Amino acid sequence: MIATLSGVVTEKIGQQLVVETGGVGYGVAVARSDLEALPTGQEIRFYIYEVVREDAHDLYGFSEFLGRELFEQLLSVSGVGPKVALAILSIANIDQVQRAISTGDVAFLQSASGVGKRGAERIAVELRNKVIASGYHPSGSETASADAALEALESLGYSRQAAMTALAKIPTDLSDEERIKRALSEV
């Protein structure tokens, strides 16, 4: 079993990074945030989830251990495979995905490619307690601030996914007005 992989990002091919280590290039499927954040030529270290099947040997990489843990939790839900789990982790940062699961935000989960209404409901119901047990505890003010900024961007006509992606890049300790202004420059 491969637990971690360190090396240099040599290429980006679709949703995968090629990580070269010891003269071997490993294709590692990653969430969109990691794909966009990592330039080629950079030294990285990923936590790996390995899927071995008769016809494939796939590696899924996460820059944070918590990402791999959430990925494994998503896989425990009936009907959720590695591609769907990675699609869910690609719609926003880990904290926002955990928030959506713990609050039962089915619409947010449905915004991931391959996730229908019933699948999103199943994820929220089956993982709510696991997400909270794994240490996710949003503070009331942080959640309210994020929700107010998110609602404002949605009322301006931005999709929930675009608004959450923009807000993920902005510090939560800013005022709602400042977060909205900065998010508008991101979307």
Side-chain angles (χ1 to χ4, degrees):
M1 177 179 126
I2 299 172
T4 63
L5 181 65
S6 298
V8 176
V9 176
T10 58
E11 294 181 68
K12 294 181 180 183
I13 303 171
Q15 277 292 116
Q16 288 192 339
L17 297 175
V18 176
V19 179
E20 190 165 320
T21 183
V24 178
Y26 295 92
V28 181
V30 296
R32 186 174 38 148
S33 59
D34 284 334
L35 187 67
E36 293 171 353
L38 295 169
T40 57
Q42 181 173 339
E43 179 82 22
I44 57 92
R45 179 173 189 255
F46 280 120
Y47 294 95
I48 298 294
Y49 184 87
E50 187 176 18
V51 177
V52 179
R53 296 187 310 250
E54 187 174 307
D55 61 340
H57 188 123
D58 298 322
L59 301 177
Y60 295 86
F62 307 92
S63 57
E64 299 176 50
F65 181 77
L66 187 57
R68 185 176 81 182
E69 186 178 57
L70 185 54
F71 182 81
E72 290 172 348
Q73 289 174 346
L74 287 164
L75 291 177
S76 72
V77 176
S78 176
V80 176
K83 290 181 181 177
V84 170
L86 194 60
I88 292 169
L89 293 174
S90 290
I91 58 176
N93 66 35
I94 294 167
D95 187 55
Q96 291 169 323
V97 173
Q98 288 180 316
R99 181 180 299 122
I101 292 169
S102 69
T103 61
D105 190 347
V106 173
F108 175 78
L109 295 170
Q110 273 185 267
S111 68
S113 176
V115 179
K117 184 175 182 179
R118 288 187 185 180
E121 289 170 345
R122 190 178 311 118
I123 290 166
V125 169
E126 290 184 26
L127 295 184
R128 179 175 292 138
N129 292 333
K130 288 182 183 179
V131 165
I132 292 169
S134 71
Y136 172 74
H137 301 287
S139 67
S141 62
E142 184 179 296
T143 304
S145 176
D147 290 344
L150 178 63
E151 288 175 16
L153 290 171
E154 285 182 314
S155 71
L156 292 171
Y158 293 98
S159 71
R160 183 173 201 81
Q161 182 176 354
M164 292 202 70
T165 300
L167 287 170
K169 301 173 186 174
I170 299 165
T172 57
D173 59 344
L174 299 174
S175 70
D176 287 339
E177 290 178 19
E178 185 62 28
R179 293 187 79 230
I180 293 165
K181 286 178 189 177
R182 287 191 184 187
L184 287 171
S185 68
E186 294 286 333
V187 288

